[in-house]
């Protein structure tokens, strides 16, 4: 097949699409749906600017074929804000000035969301290990690490957080 | 070709292993199989233009990592590197593989990349491949005339080429059950953590006290495929692991490898450090008893 009818659930909304099979999820989000909050950096899985959550797991949308995503739940950085109100992770990035040009920020926020869902209280080493797939050309990472710590500290309902999972970083 | 645009291809989405095998036997060499796609997608952006791409996305029942103390570890063709890390038994009994999975790429790539895809890519730099080579195991291939098992020792034929026939789908990998006194370790050197290794090494030792009964040593980025250091292994077998033995083992490695200069490192450097890295992996395996 050269085209496929798919349904995507993006940030809680359902989209029925007819996509060319050689389009990446990133292309479909940006070019077909106009959701330009997810960024294109390298196209080869190295920079993390295109990070979105698929069924709650972070993936590089530049390496994902849209046609294979039928029925999947996708979250982009815009899906974290509630009617324009930033969530605690986005707010932590603003508060800690962890943004300069902002190009890496959508990916950083999504990666942070996935990290904190698994590990609500990460150590600095765990934060740095988690962020290794997200490149920032501006900040030098210090402020980003601080923002992730702040996001962890300000996570709503911290006590009810799911399955702490501590990977040993060596 | 660019990092942005994919070539034109026909997408095949089989709904079962049987259908996938049927498609493979009908179209043979024209099909590229895609599991996680972390290698295939990049290759399509820069080099490859398959006529047909067969995604395993809709094939059910292959995303398992199953441990049985008697039978070993079974890893299905759709199990990701992240799936391995989620299994406590992998960390406990297959330390080298767990460590390879842990240092593998990035969180995003680990969520997508499959363990079997790493074997089938047949790259000399594959991290899971290196660990699995040291641990030992068999790849289960299913073709139009049935299933067969290929020992990992016979799996890689040359750069990018495996023993898989064009009509076969790799369905699972089986690792041996953990034996008493068996231990393993993995080490790799990279430029930056998300990059491929410039050198990796994995060891599996069967120990009795401080004496090595048996050893499997594997090294990556030093030959066209992952390499077993069979001559160096003989220097370990039956020996007590004294400082002198380890020194001899480290010195022997450079005579067994044939690294090249590439963008990640030089042949000279790889020769210099290979013995040291192997020695450290052996020490780590013994320390992590
Ligand atoms: C940013 C980035 C970082 C990376 N870092 C690392 C790293 O640190 N270490 C490392 O080892 N690798 C790394 N890789 C390479 C890649 O992620 C791995 O080789 C991965 O394991 C491939 O798995 P996959 O499921 O994505 O394979 P795919 O891309 O889907 O396939 C890989 C190959 O296997 C074949 N194949 C896959 N499944 C089957 C099957 N069931 N039957 C028959 N053929 C099959 C495909 O046709 C293809 O030739 C990296 C890649 C990227 C993009
Ligand atoms: S654009 Fe996807 S990782 Fe860089
Ligand atoms: S803020 Fe510019 S790339 Fe991170």
């Amino acid at each position: 097949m050269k085209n496929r009818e798919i349904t995507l659930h993006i940030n809680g909304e359902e989209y029925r699409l007819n996509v060319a099979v050689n389009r990446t999820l990133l292309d479909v989000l940006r070019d077909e749906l106009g959701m330009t909050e997810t960024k294109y950096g390298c196209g080869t899985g190295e920079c993390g600017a295109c990070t979105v959550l698929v069924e709650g797991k972070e993936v590089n949308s530049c390496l994902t074929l849209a046609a294979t995503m039928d029925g999947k739940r996708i979250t982009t950085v815009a899906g974290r804000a509630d009617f324009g109100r930033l969530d605690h992770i986005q707010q932590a990035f603003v508060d800690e000035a962890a943004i300069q040009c902002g190009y890496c920020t959508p990916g950083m926020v999504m990666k942070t969301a996935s990290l904190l869902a698994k590990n609500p209280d990460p150590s600095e080493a765990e934060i740095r290990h988690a962020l290794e797939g997200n490149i920032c050309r501006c900040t030098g990472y210090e402020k980003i690490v601080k923002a992730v710590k702040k996001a962890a500290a300000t996570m709503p309902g911290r006590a009810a957080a799911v399955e702490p999972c501590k990977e040993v970083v060596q | 070709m660019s990092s942005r645009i994919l070539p034109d291809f026909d997408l095949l989405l089989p709904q079962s292993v049987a259908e996938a095998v049927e498609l493979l036997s009908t179209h043979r060499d024209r099909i590229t199989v895609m599991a996680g796609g972390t290698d295939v997608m990049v290759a399509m952006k820069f080099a490859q233009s398959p006529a047909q791409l067969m995604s395993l996305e809709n094939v059910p029942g292959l995303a398992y990592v199953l441990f049985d103390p008697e039978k070993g570890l079974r890893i299905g063709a759709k199990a990701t590197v992240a799936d391995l890390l989620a299994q406590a038994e992998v960390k406990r009994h297959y330390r080298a593989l767990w460590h390879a999975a842990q240092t593998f790429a990035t969180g995003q790539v680990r969520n997508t990349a499959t363990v079997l895809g790493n074997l089938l890519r047949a790259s000399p730099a594959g991290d899971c491949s290196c660990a699995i080579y040291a641990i030992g195991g068999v790849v289960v291939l299913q073709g139009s005339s049935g299933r067969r098992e290929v020992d990992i020792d016979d799996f890689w034929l040359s750069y990018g080429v495996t023993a898989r026939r064009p009509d076969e789908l790799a369905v699972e990998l089986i690792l041996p059950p953990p034996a008493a006194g068996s231990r393993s370790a993995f080490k790799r050197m990279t430029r930056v953590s998300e990059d491929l290794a410039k050198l990796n090494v994995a060891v599996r030792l069967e120990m009795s006290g401080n004496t090595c009964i048996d050893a499997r040593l594997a090294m990556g980025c030093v030959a066209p495929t992952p390499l077993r250091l069979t001559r160096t292994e003989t220097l370990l077998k039956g020996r007590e692991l004294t400082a002198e033995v380890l020194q001899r083992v480290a010195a022997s490695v450079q005579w067994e490898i044939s690294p090249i200069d590439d963008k990640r490192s030089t042949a000279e450097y790889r020769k210099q450090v290979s013995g040291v890295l192997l020695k450290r992996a052996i020490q780590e395996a013994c320390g992590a008893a």
Side-chain angles (χ1 to χ4, degrees), chain A residues 26-40:
Chain A
L26 179 63
D27 286 343
V28 168
L29 289 172
R30 289 182 59 86
D31 302 344
E32 294 184 24
L33 296 169
M35 299 178 176
T36 51
E37 70 270 18
T38 305
K39 304 301 179 198
Y40 174 88

Side-chain angles (χ1 to χ4, degrees), chain B residues 58-232:
Chain B
N58 289 355
V59 178
L62 291 178
Y64 54 82
V65 179
L66 295 171
F67 177 69
D68 181 314
E70 316 273 88
K71 297 191 184 127
L73 189 72
R74 289 173 57 205
I75 302 173
K78 284 173 64 177
T80 63
V81 176
D83 291 336
L84 276 187
L85 290 171
Q87 283 267 348
E89 287 96 349
V90 175
K91 184 173 181 182
R92 194 167 321 129
H93 301 300
Y94 302 92
R95 191 89 197 159
L97 182 56
W98 185 82
H99 204 161
Q102 211 219 4
T103 54
F104 192 101
T106 67
Q108 287 89 325
V109 172
R110 289 193 290 273
N111 278 339
T112 321
T114 62
V115 181
L116 266 79
N118 200 248
L119 300 181
L120 281 129
R121 165 68 183 80
S123 156
D127 290 321
C128 291
S129 299
C130 180
I132 289 160
Y133 207 5
I135 292 168
V138 293
V139 181
V140 181
L141 300 166
Q142 183 154 335
S144 34
S145 51
R147 282 193 172 212
R148 66 182 179 120
E149 294 187 352
V150 179
D151 196 297
I152 198 69
D153 289 357
D154 308 317
F155 192 65
W156 296 296
L157 305 182
S158 59
Y159 177 81
V161 182
T162 70
R164 179 182 84 92
R165 297 185 192 122
D167 71 327
E168 288 175 325
L169 185 74
V171 287
E172 70 174 0
L173 166 75
I174 307 173
L175 300 186
S182 168
R183 56 204 60 183
S184 68
F186 169 85
K187 287 211 163 287
R188 78 168 189 167
M189 300 180 75
T190 53
R191 298 180 303 172
V192 289
S193 56
E194 71 265 30
D195 195 14
L196 290 178
K198 62 171 85 167
L199 191 68
N200 57 20
V201 63
V203 305
R204 177 186 167 182
L205 309 173
E206 313 298 325
M207 300 291 292
S208 168
N210 195 34
T211 303
C212 176
I213 310 295
D214 199 8
R216 282 177 70 98
L217 311 175
M219 193 169 270
C221 315
V222 293
T225 64
L227 186 73
R228 239 185 100 184
L229 305 172
T230 43
R231 271 194 287 156
T232 305

Side-chain angles (χ1 to χ4, degrees), chain A residues 1 40 43 58 62 72 168, chain B residues 3 10-11 45 57 102 111:
Chain A
M1 69 182 82
Y40 174 88
E58 73 277 23
C62 71
K72 294 281 197 296
V168 182
Chain B
S3 65
D10 216 4
L11 181 68
K45 288 182 176 190
E57 181 66 28
Q102 211 219 4
N111 278 339

Side-chain angles (χ1 to χ4, degrees), chain A residues 26 39-51 60-63 133:
Chain A
L26 179 63
K39 304 301 179 198
Y40 174 88
C42 63
T44 52
E46 280 155 85
C47 75
C50 67
T51 305
N60 297 122
S61 59
C62 71
L63 293 184

